[in-house]
Each structure stands twice: as structure tokens, then as C-alpha cells.
Amino acid sequence: MIDKRVPDLSAAVAPIHDGAAVMIGGFGSSGIPMGLIHALLDRGARGLTVISNNAGAGEVGISALLREGLVSKVVCSYPRTPGSIWFERRYEAGEVELEVVPQGTLAERIRAAGAGLGGFLTPTAYGTLLAEGKETRVIDGIGYVLEPPLPADFALVRGEAGDRWGNVRYHATARNFNPVMAMAARHTIAEVRTLSDTPLDPHSVVTPGIFVHAIVEHGERP
Amino acid sequence: MMRLTEDQIAARLAADIPDSAYVNLGIGLPNRVAQHVPEGREVFYQTENGLLGVGPAPLPGQEDPELIDASKKLVTTLPGAAFFDQAESFAIMRGGHLNIAVLGAYQVAQNGDLANWATLDDKHPPAVGGAMDLVAGVPQILVIMRHTDRAGEPKLLERCTYPLTGAGVVNRVYTDLGVFAVTPDGFRVVELAAGNSLDEVQAETGARLLA
């Protein structure tokens, strides 16, 4: 029988080890797996590489991981959101490495990892600082940059509803990076607002359960 | 000098957005353009975090914390709206499906080069977001910005001094002093804000303006 449910948040993050590369879904304040992040904070795994669109804000979520010194590298498109105090402090002190990736390239590199691709050619960033040192091609007069896939050890994603098979559906703009990240990690952990014993309507499933390894209910909305 | 307010610049730009256009608005001043689209036009806004058909701010009591735009502001959906994930959202942007993107800028050069993601200040981390994807894939790039920076230095230049977001990508620039088209010969004045002469505006511009 397939049953990916785990009893609680701390059991869900127990496999996350020091030095792991961890994808974290969310954009701004929506679709962030806040319960899983705070369980990871309690677990205290160190030397993490965090792959996410933003670098957190305030004293919660990714910002709290940075505050506690658990993060050694951030891969993101937009670290400079209002309230990203802990990222800025760690960055200014040289305590965290930053890789800035254009948002669409970030999403597609993650998707490529999940889809078994060796990379892709994108016109994004061609001729800019972010393409320096990268292989380029000109096809039909348009310049492209070769971008590699971006996999991870773990993905933490947040959905609206899930079932024991690991299927997840999302609410509104909380979908964002969650579906592509779910595909791209060796071990994907989904936090859902409601976890049901009955299967989700297959029409409504956005992340098929095959991509999810553990699923846990966390009713609080961030 | 007579200077347009930010809302006046946004309204001037909005007048150039045709009916039925699919448009992406950047964070900050570009976001205000949505409030000024003339009556009778149906314009569909995309927000890159995963929504096409962005509606106005919700009424009190109807806020949905998981329904936000790229500025992280609470929004609503319009009839005909759709949600999608990041990979699909950037396929919309990079794949040439939108008609217009409206962006802010630190600098624009007379050849259409755009700089809007990083300064030369090492202390502050650079933040690119979706800007490079938009300029790579959207056919019409409209810039909305103040004509000069806080120190009074020109932002319309012969060449950008900040790192580029994209080379030769800008079509038009809307500022508090007028509207300027990027042409093979440089910046052409489409119109000047009422009350200013070409010489006065030229004095605040770092590239030659063509009448």
C-alpha cells in the first residue's frame, strides 16, 4: 500500500542532514511551507544550501534559518525584499554565499532537473554579467546562454490539500515554485493545509504523488 | 521645470496600452499603470508569481493571503483569470506571448540598453527577479521612471554605467519630462511635458535628444 503520510512536522524533516541542498517553495508570503521550515529550524541542520525565490523576511521562515546561522549558501532571484534583514546582515558580514539567478532561469533549471534534462538554452541574461563565463550559442540570430539543471537533496513544498498517495493541489498564487521544486529533489516533503484519507479529484491534482515522498498536515496558513 | 507627478506619468503610459493587450507590470511605479487604463479597454495583467488576469485590491474582509502579485500586495482575480506555476509563468514571459512589459529603470541608453537590477554598490546584494526574462521575451518594453536620479543625475544616457539587464531592449521611456522613443539614431522626443522647452529637457538628459 502506498501511504506517504508522516505523523508530524519534525518526523517529516528528520532526514534532512547537515550540508543538504534544500529547495523551499513560496513567493513573497504565499505558498511558503512555514511549518516545515520551523521544524527544520528546531532540528538545527547546518551548512544548508537554500534554493528559493526570496531570502526570507522578518524573523520567520528562511530569515530565521539565516538568523540561526544554519545557511551557508542562498540560490535565489530576489534576495532584497523589504524586511530581508537577516539575509542582508549575513551577506554584508560575508557569512553567506549568494548565487543570483534570473527568476525564469531559476524555475526552468529546477524543472530541467526534475524532467531529466541536461540543461537548456535561454535568451535570458545573454550579454549581461549573469552570463559571464557561461557557454553561449547564437541560433537564427538570437543569442542564448546554456544553463545547467538545478537539483536538490530535499524540497519543502506547501499545498492546499493532499492525500495519502502524495497528490497535491494548490490555492491561488501559492502554487508558484512548489510544483517544479517537488519534481527536482531526491526527497520531496509536502506540507498541506488539509490531508485527506480519500483521494483528491484527479482533475484537480497539480503535483502528482509520484514526485512526493512524505506528506504532512499543517493547518495554519502563513 | 514643469514635472509630471508619478500618477500623471502612469496615466500617460496607460494611454498607449491598447485594448486586449496582455501586459506585465514591474514592481513599484510600473504597478500604478493598471489604475489608469482608459475606460472601455480590457487589459489583462500577468503577475509572474503565477496569475494572468490580476484584479484590483480586495475589499475589506475579502483578502486572501495566498492571492498576491509580484509586489507581494493582495489582489483579486478578473473574470477569465488563470493560475499557473513558475515554469509556465516564465514560458508566458520568455516565449513571446505577452504584448507589453512596463519596467522601472536605473538607466536607459540611447541604443535601448536597460540597467535596472544592480548598481556598483557591493554592500547591497543584487536582485534580478524576472526583469531579464521579460526583456528577453516581451516584444514591447516600456520604461517608466523619473527623468533624473535622486542626486539629479541624468538616467537617459549615451551608455549605461550600471550592469545591463538587457542590451538594446527598450522601445519607449516615459518620464516626468516627456515621452522618448528609442530609434536607430538615438532618443527621439515623442512629446514633452507641457511647459518645458526641448533645451530645458536636454539639459537634464545624458544623451542627445532628437526633435
Side-chain angles (χ1 to χ4, degrees):
Chain A
M1 186 174 107
I2 295 175
D3 189 353
K4 300 184 178 185
R5 290 174 293 186
V6 289
D8 56 39
L9 294 164
S10 65
V13 301
I16 302 179
H17 50 79
D18 286 357
V22 184
M23 289 174 175
I24 300 180
F27 179 98
S29 59
S30 85
I32 300 176
M34 211 51 107
L36 289 171
I37 300 173
H38 288 149
L40 180 57
L41 188 68
D42 293 341
R43 178 168 165 69
R46 310 189 77 82
L48 301 173
T49 293
V50 169
I51 301 163
S52 196
N53 189 60
N54 304 107
E59 300 291 338
V60 296
I62 295 172
S63 203
L65 297 177
L66 285 154
R67 183 190 65 216
E68 298 305 315
L70 305 180
V71 181
S72 59
K73 182 177 179 183
V74 171
V75 182
C76 75
S77 88
Y78 209 85
R80 211 175 48 204
T81 39
S84 56
I85 40 174
W86 283 106
F87 176 79
E88 279 171 35
R89 274 180 217 177
R90 297 292 178 222
Y91 181 82
E92 275 179 35
E95 292 163 352
V96 64
E97 190 187 336
L98 171 67
E99 181 181 348
V100 170
V101 182
Q103 198 171 332
T105 300
L106 182 64
E108 198 64 18
R109 285 182 63 193
I110 293 167
R111 201 192 76 82
L117 300 175
F120 57 95
L121 291 163
T122 177
T124 301
Y126 184 82
T128 75
L129 263 182
L130 294 185
E132 267 181 15
K134 292 181 177 167
E135 207 175 319
T136 57
R137 289 268 299 271
V138 175
I139 302 170
D140 291 339
I142 297 172
Y144 295 90
V145 183
L146 179 64
E147 290 286 353
L150 179 62
D153 299 309
F154 297 91
L156 310 183
V157 302
R158 162 87 187 180
E160 175 71 4
D163 61 25
R164 74 167 163 88
W165 294 267
N167 295 308
V168 179
R169 76 174 161 79
Y170 300 92
H171 176 70
T173 53
R175 190 179 310 193
N176 57 62
F177 279 88
N178 288 301
V180 285
M181 288 182 171
M183 297 167 66
R186 197 167 47 71
H187 186 89
T188 292
I189 307 163
E191 164 192 315
V192 290
R193 197 155 77 87
T194 58
L195 181 53
S196 72
D197 295 329
T198 52
L200 297 184
D201 176 355
H203 293 100
S204 74
V205 173
V206 172
T207 293
I210 194 167
F211 295 130
V212 174
H213 304 89
I215 189 162
V216 60
E217 187 171 86
H218 182 61
E220 272 173 55
R221 266 186 171 170
Chain B
M1 291 290 274
M2 301 294 287
R3 295 181 190 277
L4 300 181
T5 64
E6 292 192 340
D7 278 307
Q8 286 173 322
I9 311 169
R12 176 59 192 85
L13 190 151
D16 285 352
I17 297 180
D19 185 35
S20 304
Y22 290 104
V23 179
N24 181 294
L25 301 177
I27 291 172
L29 182 52
N31 211 263
R32 276 208 227 165
V33 170
Q35 297 157 25
H36 296 283
V37 171
E39 288 284 319
R41 295 184 199 175
E42 185 178 21
V43 175
F44 241 46
Y45 297 102
Q46 184 229 21
T47 180
E48 58 260 35
N49 54 315
L51 166 62
L52 192 60
V54 180
L59 297 171
Q62 294 182 6
E63 300 90 349
D64 179 343
E66 295 186 319
L67 181 47
I68 61 171
D69 67 9
S71 312
K72 285 98 180 173
K73 287 202 191 85
L74 295 170
V75 294
T76 52
T77 57
L78 294 179
F83 295 117
F84 31 79
D85 70 45
Q86 285 297 281
E88 197 168 1
S89 191
F90 280 82
I92 288 171
M93 295 155 77
R94 209 194 297 108
H97 306 283
L98 297 172
N99 304 114
I100 295 169
V102 182
L103 297 171
Y106 296 143
Q107 299 174 332
V108 179
Q110 61 187 3
N111 63 354
D113 288 358
L114 171 67
N116 78 349
W117 72 284
T119 62
L120 303 171
D121 176 0
D122 285 343
K123 263 200 176 157
H124 295 289
V128 65
M132 286 190 184
D133 301 283
L134 283 168
V135 301
V138 182
Q140 280 277 330
I141 301 293
L142 307 181
V143 166
I144 180 168
M145 65 179 197
R146 294 251 162 217
H147 203 86
T148 53
D149 68 18
R150 283 189 190 131
E153 295 297 319
K155 297 172 70 167
L156 291 162
L157 301 170
E158 287 181 8
R159 293 183 74 88
C160 294
T161 57
Y162 291 156
L164 296 190
T165 307
V169 295
V170 175
N171 298 94
R172 275 190 173 201
V173 185
Y174 297 76
T175 78
D176 45 334
L177 297 184
V179 181
F180 309 90
V182 174
T183 73
D185 303 318
F187 290 120
R188 185 176 57 77
V189 177
V190 177
E191 65 189 51
L192 297 176
N196 299 315
S197 72
L198 181 59
D199 285 347
E200 287 171 317
V201 176
Q202 178 67 70
E204 299 203 11
T205 307
R208 201 161 77 83
L209 295 176
L210 308 169

